[in-house]
Amino acid sequence: MKIWRKWLQLLRSKNVPESGLAVKYFLQHLAIKEGLTEGEACHASCHDLAECLGESSWRRFEVMCRQRLKRVPVQYILGESSFRGQVFKMAPPVLIPRPETEDLVSLVIRGEPHGHVLDVGCGSGCIAVSLALEVPELRITAIDPSEEACRLTVENALHFGVMDQINVICVTFKEFVFKSDLPSYTTIVSNPPYIPSVAMETLEPEVAQYEDNQALDGGSSGLSVAMEIMADAHRILSPCGNLWFELGLGQWESVAQAVEENQNWGLRFMKPHPDFTQRSVTFALLADCVSISAFCFKAAILPFEKRTITFIELHC
């Protein structure tokens, strides 16, 4: 029996999710290392990919499969993750970019960001680097309390040649907003931890065992970090600036309530808009300019695995 078929059967017998895709990704990755182009590898069958591998590649293939058997995420095994058509370097325990976050970047770009942008919880740097690549005139500050995340953001910024546009700082948002001599940010974007603590136990092993829990656990409501950002954003966000979040299932209702109860944030809940899936679930909240911070508020709800993503924009 061919080695790859043996491992495919074993992974499936252990109920490892998407075993077939994992095996093909490993074969493609190794075949490219052997000299195949990405286009050739993409269109080749597992049988054809296997024909390209030498002895050392097969040894590496088996190591990869053993890791996957332990439910290590494919992105960590390969050391890379795709995001908005680019391949980013990836390393544990930094949060693996999800496809839904690509939509968050699209929404931010659609808002025509300019000047200084702040990425709160930069992780792998996928948001900051994508914004720098797609809107070259931006100057981006990327912050994260994780040293591993900041190192990876720097690696990806250097890899894509946008380090001159991005300043990476290892710090929490709470610490950052009270720094002196900060610029006024026209846009703040964040994919904060938003999973309620009680739900952490229900996560798949790939997430619970390997990804940074601090980048996932949003406290009892799932909104602890988001609330901190909203409460202090006015300190560094310019008048008529934009604040974007990616949040989870049903959380926009809690956010709307918090906005109503905290008038000093300068926000007011208004109306929903349809999401990109064209399903019944809504995508946006809109508010007009009020009080000190003179900002408006908007949220978008989009699906993420079995949950729903909420994108929130604070603007004028």
Side-chain angles (χ1 to χ4, degrees), residues 32 39 89 147 151 170 214 236 300-301 303 315:
I32 290 170
K89 295 183 179 181
E147 292 183 4
R151 280 197 295 267
C170 189
Q214 289 188 341
I236 56 173
I301 305 167
H315 72 116

Side-chain angles (χ1 to χ4, degrees), residues 6-249:
K6 178 194 75 173
W7 277 104
L8 177 58
Q9 288 186 5
L10 180 58
L11 290 167
R12 283 176 172 169
S13 71
K14 298 298 183 180
N15 297 317
V16 175
E18 300 183 329
S19 299
L21 278 177
V23 166
K24 187 161 189 179
Y25 287 151
F26 298 157
L27 292 172
Q28 287 174 335
H29 181 81
L30 294 167
I32 290 170
K33 297 288 186 184
E34 294 276 7
L36 235 60
T37 67
E38 290 187 12
E40 290 170 336
C42 182
H43 293 96
S45 66
C46 287
H47 172 79
D48 292 337
L49 292 167
E51 294 296 317
C52 301
L53 305 192
E55 185 177 342
S56 61
S57 289
W58 280 118
R59 286 197 296 269
R60 178 61 185 147
F61 175 80
E62 294 204 89
V63 169
M64 289 175 159
C65 288
R66 288 191 189 97
Q67 288 179 294
R68 189 67 192 110
L69 199 58
K70 295 177 181 178
R71 304 294 289 269
V72 178
V74 170
Q75 293 90 337
Y76 289 160
I77 297 171
L78 297 179
E80 61 187 36
S81 181
S82 296
F83 189 83
R84 291 183 72 82
Q86 305 288 352
V87 178
F88 284 74
K89 295 183 179 181
M90 184 52 51
V94 180
L95 190 71
I96 297 167
R98 270 62 173 181
E100 288 73 19
T101 306
E102 297 184 24
D103 294 294
L104 173 61
V105 174
S106 294
L107 288 167
V108 173
I109 292 174
R110 201 177 302 162
E112 299 182 350
H114 59 280
H116 291 276
V117 172
L118 176 64
D119 178 9
V120 182
C122 56
S124 64
C126 62
I127 293 175
V129 170
S130 296
L131 289 172
L133 287 170
E134 298 180 48
V135 191
E137 64 270 21
L138 293 180
R139 292 297 174 262
I140 302 164
T141 301
I143 68 172
D144 200 294
S146 164
E147 292 183 4
E148 294 94 340
C150 290
R151 280 197 295 267
L152 191 56
T153 293
V154 170
E155 284 186 41
N156 279 314
L158 288 170
H159 176 72
F160 287 103
V162 294
M163 196 66 230
D164 60 330
Q165 291 175 252
I166 301 176
N167 182 29
V168 182
I169 305 173
C170 189
V171 67
T172 66
F173 179 78
K174 201 73 173 176
E175 295 165 336
F176 179 78
V177 291
F178 290 102
K179 285 180 174 289
S180 60
D181 301 323
L182 290 177
S184 182
Y185 293 96
T186 62
T187 299
I188 298 175
V189 58
S190 181
N191 178 12
Y194 60 76
I195 299 175
S197 298
V198 293
M200 291 293 292
E201 298 178 359
T202 68
L203 298 176
E204 292 293 324
E206 287 85 352
V207 179
Q209 295 178 21
Y210 297 100
E211 293 191 84
D212 184 2
N213 283 354
Q214 289 188 341
L216 296 163
D217 191 340
S220 59
S221 67
L223 292 170
S224 298
V225 176
M227 293 294 184
E228 286 181 3
I229 295 171
M230 284 190 288
D232 283 322
H234 67 275
R235 299 179 185 277
I236 56 173
L237 195 57
S238 63
C240 299
N242 300 289
L243 172 55
W244 288 92
F245 286 108
E246 177 180 316
L247 295 175
L249 177 62

